[in-house]
Amino acid sequence: MTDVVPYRDAYTRSVEARVVAVDVSGTPLVVLDRTAFYPGGGGQPSDRGLLLRSADGRSWVVRAARRSGGDVVHELDPEVEPPSVGDVVVADLDWARRYSLMRTHTALHALCGVVWRDYGAQVTGGNMEPGSGRMDFEFERMGGELVGEIEAKVNAELAMARDVRVAVLPREEAFAIPDLIRTKVNLLPPGIEEVRTIEIVGLDLQADGGTHVANTREVGGIRVTGYESKGRINKRIRIELVEPGA
Ligand SMILES: [Zn+2]
């Protein structure tokens, strides 16, 4: 089992780790005993970065990471010879990219929070890249005239400098929180005993596995860059980040 540090500390940029498995049957894959890499999920792409071997300073580019059972697999460039089992390496993130994803992810939760609180619309999906993202809602009366209003409300919430808190709750306790039901927590597989939650204090609470900033002031602001109807009820809202102070 890989110890996945970003689940409990999103601000860790690098960790020292030991190589516990290597697979060279295709693209080289490396499993570490712990990692700073977020393995992707919940609409947030996995991290990229480097593995640096302490003994000789050699480095490898990590193109992507993903979960495989209880492990996190780090995918290297094709055709390179990976480090060996037992090697000590530093798993070092592309921090600028990850921090942008953290700001983007928190911005999308703020959007969900406003749309739920003020319009009663449930989120049905979403996706992001560094600096921009989209959310899909069951939001029949969404239209172009609401875009500016939603953007202003989200920016007002971000400017309130709300703390963002991570918790891990026993399944039963999580199921007892009415707000979590809208993020389809009831679709979680029966085997999952704990539910990780992200709370933008005073605005939004969701079951979520991603990495977030600690306070909404780190997000800066958002701009709504588009909306689309995906049918009578399903609507998609696209946003991009606006730098703090811009
Ligand atoms: Zn999320």
Side-chain angles (χ1 to χ4, degrees):
M1 286 265 289
T2 305
D3 174 20
V4 189
V5 174
Y7 289 148
R8 59 178 184 275
D9 180 6
Y11 288 84
T12 297
R13 303 179 188 199
S14 68
V15 295
E16 194 174 77
R18 191 171 292 275
V19 176
V20 295
V22 171
D23 179 347
V24 291
S25 59
T27 302
L29 305 174
V30 176
V31 177
L32 305 175
D33 62 352
R34 58 198 296 245
T35 189
F37 286 74
Y38 177 67
Q44 182 180 336
S46 80
D47 288 324
R48 298 175 190 160
L50 295 173
L51 301 183
L52 305 156
R53 184 160 61 195
S54 314
D56 61 358
R58 190 171 163 194
S59 66
W60 292 263
V61 171
V62 177
R63 293 153 34 119
R66 63 176 182 274
R67 291 201 73 95
S68 174
D71 292 329
V72 171
V73 169
H74 303 75
E75 183 184 324
L76 308 184
D77 280 332
E79 314 286 326
V80 305
E81 185 195 336
S84 304
V85 171
D87 283 357
V88 174
V89 296
V90 173
D92 189 34
L93 297 185
D94 177 345
W95 174 249
R97 179 176 177 278
R98 154 70 91 72
Y99 188 59
S100 181
L101 284 166
M102 286 161 60
R103 292 171 57 220
T104 306
H105 202 157
T106 301
L108 288 168
H109 281 214
L111 172 65
C112 290
V114 164
V115 168
W116 171 249
R117 181 193 66 193
D118 294 351
Y119 308 95
Q122 288 198 348
V123 64
T124 59
N127 215 335
M128 76 199 77
E129 50 192 302
S132 66
R134 62 166 172 82
M135 300 289 329
D136 294 335
F137 297 95
E138 290 176 352
F139 195 175
E140 188 166 2
R141 59 197 184 90
M142 174 65 196
E145 73 286 355
L146 281 183
V147 163
E149 184 178 303
I150 291 170
E151 180 183 282
K153 285 179 171 183
V154 172
N155 283 328
E157 293 296 330
L158 295 172
M160 288 179 77
R162 295 186 181 278
D163 283 335
V164 182
R165 293 184 188 150
V166 182
V168 177
L169 304 177
R171 181 187 178 89
E172 294 311 314
E173 200 176 316
F175 273 57
I177 301 172
D179 256 16
L180 282 184
I181 290 166
R182 75 190 157 89
T183 54
K184 317 278 194 230
V185 69
N186 50 332
L187 297 180
L188 289 174
I192 292 185
E193 297 298 331
E194 291 184 323
V195 178
R196 187 171 178 272
T197 61
I198 301 292
E199 179 179 20
I200 301 178
V201 176
L203 178 64
D204 185 68
L205 178 62
Q206 296 187 35
D208 187 83
T211 61
H212 290 261
V213 293
N215 188 283
T216 59
R217 80 168 82 82
E218 294 182 55
V219 176
I222 63 140
R223 187 159 35 232
V224 175
T225 55
Y227 81 95
E228 295 153 41
S229 283
K230 313 298 280 183
R232 186 172 60 84
I233 293 176
N234 295 308
K235 308 295 159 81
R236 173 169 293 175
I237 299 176
R238 295 179 186 278
I239 65 163
E240 63 182 24
L241 293 184
V242 176
E243 294 305 307

